[in-house]
Amino acid sequence: MLLAISVVASVVGIIFMLALDWFPEQGSSIAAPIDTFWDVLVVVSVPIFVAVTAMMLFSIWRWRQRPGEEDLDGPPIHGSTKLEVIWTIVPTVIIAALTTYAAILLVDIQSAPAKGTRVVNVNGVQFAWDFETKTAAGPVKSAKLYLPINEPVKFNVRSADVIHDFWVPAFRLKVDAVPGITTTYNLTPTKLGTFEVVCAELCGLGHAYMRQTVTVLTAERYATVMAGLAKQAGAPAPAAGASTDAVGKQMFVAGNPATGATACGACHTMKAAGTTATTGPNLDEILQADDAAGIMEMIVNPNKEIVAGYSKGIMPANYATTMTKPQLDALVKYIDQSVHGEG
Ligand code: HEC
Ligand SMILES: [Cu+2]
């Protein structure tokens, strides 16, 4: 009876687990084998879970203490060598088999890439990723990752500060970015589209903002986009000819991802910019008595004075290098006008 219930429950459980849509779309060459591995784990573990649970519930019901049995002692048990051998060997075999499968799968999907494979350097810094690669048009560094479809790529993952984790769920790619070493990952994007890039390691107060995208393009589109980015390299992020106000606002709400300048709006509330973050102080409130020179000083030297109630070291101290002088001037002018109500 117990066996029959277990078999039925296992079958139902397996069907239920396999029918659920656990993962995002399969965006890379390694997604299918990893999802298959997951399915195998489900098929193996559901019956074990069901058998253990059924046995436990049955025992609780069958051998429960009845009224009047409070003072009775259970029969002494001297163990069973046969049972102990079985319950040692069976799990050992199951675990060894699954571990071997996992190890072979990992070696297989991470086997050395062919010579000439595209290399993308992934750099994590609090709180943004940037991506560097060599293209026909020259080296390109960008905040959005672009990849050509069906071309193998090798990621070299590094961190400039703390441990981050480079995660692209649609690719089934997840690898730590560890300061001081380079970790690697190989795969081939197999689906056109834009997918999420997430930091999967709690890396500080701005961790939640460490979200970017990867766009997989056809080879022709990729070449065009990269040529455009290569030409832009070194130029300020905003489009040429943009007005000072537009540059200032762009710096505030979007930062300069190409150089790793985090957007102010990711941490600060400022009404004119429409941002509502609360990691840092509300700029409309704290800057009322400050002029442009004072604001500039606070941006490039944020640790000189610390706003009461906030901690040192959270606001990036690198804006003097990640933004150009014209960008900083435009940003300060924009903030000055915004908080004093002239913008
Ligand atoms: C990762 C979050 C974060 C980002 C990004 C950030 N800030 Fe801050 N900011 C803070 C925190 C926290 C404080 C309070 C601690 C301090 O005074 O340094 C602060 C303080 C300030 C102050 C007051 C500083 C002082 O010395 O009194 C100003 C002004 C300011 N930020 C403007 C900006 C501007 C402009 C940008 C974009 C260029 C920016 N912040 C980006 C978190 C951030
Ligand atoms: Cu991170």
Side-chain angles (χ1 to χ4, degrees):
M1 170 85 158
L2 198 59
L3 189 70
I5 293 176
S6 296
V7 170
V8 172
S10 296
V11 171
V12 172
I14 289 173
I15 292 174
F16 177 72
M17 291 288 285
L18 292 182
L20 276 187
D21 213 1
W22 292 98
F23 302 116
E25 53 196 321
Q26 298 182 335
S28 85
S29 54
I30 64 173
I34 288 180
D35 293 1
T36 304
F37 179 50
W38 165 262
D39 290 345
V40 171
L41 288 182
V42 162
V43 172
V44 174
S45 33
V46 166
I48 297 173
F49 174 79
V50 167
V52 170
T53 313
M55 204 54 189
M56 201 173 67
L57 292 177
F58 176 76
S59 304
I60 291 172
W61 170 75
R62 177 71 183 75
W63 290 290
R64 71 190 184 280
Q65 187 185 67
R66 291 170 176 84
E69 292 180 351
E70 288 83 356
D71 295 332
L72 289 184
D73 200 0
I77 292 173
H78 293 290
S80 158
T81 310
K82 201 166 120 199
L83 263 183
E84 280 172 30
V85 167
I86 292 174
W87 79 44
T88 305
I89 288 181
V90 170
T92 306
V93 169
I94 294 174
I95 301 282
L98 290 177
T99 314
T100 309
Y101 178 7
I104 292 173
L105 178 65
L106 189 65
V107 169
D108 186 38
I109 62 178
Q110 289 307 306
S111 53
K115 259 218 162 70
T117 295
R118 169 173 310 284
V119 174
V120 173
N121 292 322
V122 179
N123 303 303
V125 57
Q126 287 171 319
F127 297 97
W129 299 107
D130 67 57
F131 307 99
E132 286 173 301
T133 192
K134 291 201 190 79
T135 70
V140 168
K141 184 171 167 185
S142 60
K144 276 188 78 168
L145 174 58
Y146 296 96
L147 293 171
I149 191 165
N150 294 333
E151 191 192 304
V153 52
K154 175 181 185 203
F155 297 103
N156 286 331
V157 183
R158 299 186 183 89
S159 166
D161 39 42
V162 300
I163 301 179
H164 299 278
D165 190 291
F166 179 47
W167 185 26
V168 185
F171 286 176
R172 310 293 187 273
L173 176 175
K174 198 189 227 179
V175 60
D176 272 2
V178 183
I181 66 170
T182 302
T183 48
T184 63
Y185 213 91
N186 307 307
L187 54 77
T188 306
T190 53
K191 202 176 177 106
L192 296 174
T194 295
F195 311 100
E196 270 195 307
V197 173
V198 186
C199 178
E201 182 72 48
L202 185 56
C203 57
L205 262 183
H207 168 65
Y209 303 109
M210 229 170 136
R211 288 175 161 259
Q212 283 155 237
T213 56
V214 49
T215 300
V216 179
L217 304 161
T218 59
E220 305 83 62
R221 273 296 288 153
Y222 179 78
T224 319
V225 169
M226 288 324 235
L229 286 174
K231 211 157 65 199
Q232 256 182 42
S243 71
T244 312
D245 285 356
V247 174
K249 180 163 188 186
Q250 172 160 3
M251 290 298 121
F252 194 92
V253 298
N256 191 354
T259 59
T262 314
C264 318
C267 295
H268 289 286
T269 292
M270 192 168 79
K271 213 158 149 245
T275 60
T276 55
T278 54
T279 303
N282 179 328
L283 296 183
D284 292 315
E285 286 166 12
I286 64 159
L287 294 180
Q288 282 308 324
D290 296 287
D291 60 6
I295 296 174
M296 177 69 90
E297 177 63 20
M298 292 176 197
I299 295 173
V300 297
N301 235 334
N303 288 331
K304 210 165 100 186
E305 279 174 39
I306 302 301
V307 179
Y310 294 89
S311 320
K312 198 179 159 129
I314 293 166
M315 171 150 164
N318 60 359
Y319 286 115
T321 52
T322 55
M323 287 185 185
T324 63
K325 184 79 174 59
Q327 287 172 344
L328 279 170
D329 287 340
L331 173 66
V332 168
K333 182 167 168 237
Y334 172 70
I335 295 175
D336 192 20
Q337 285 176 354
S338 301
V339 299
H340 294 118
E342 297 153 34

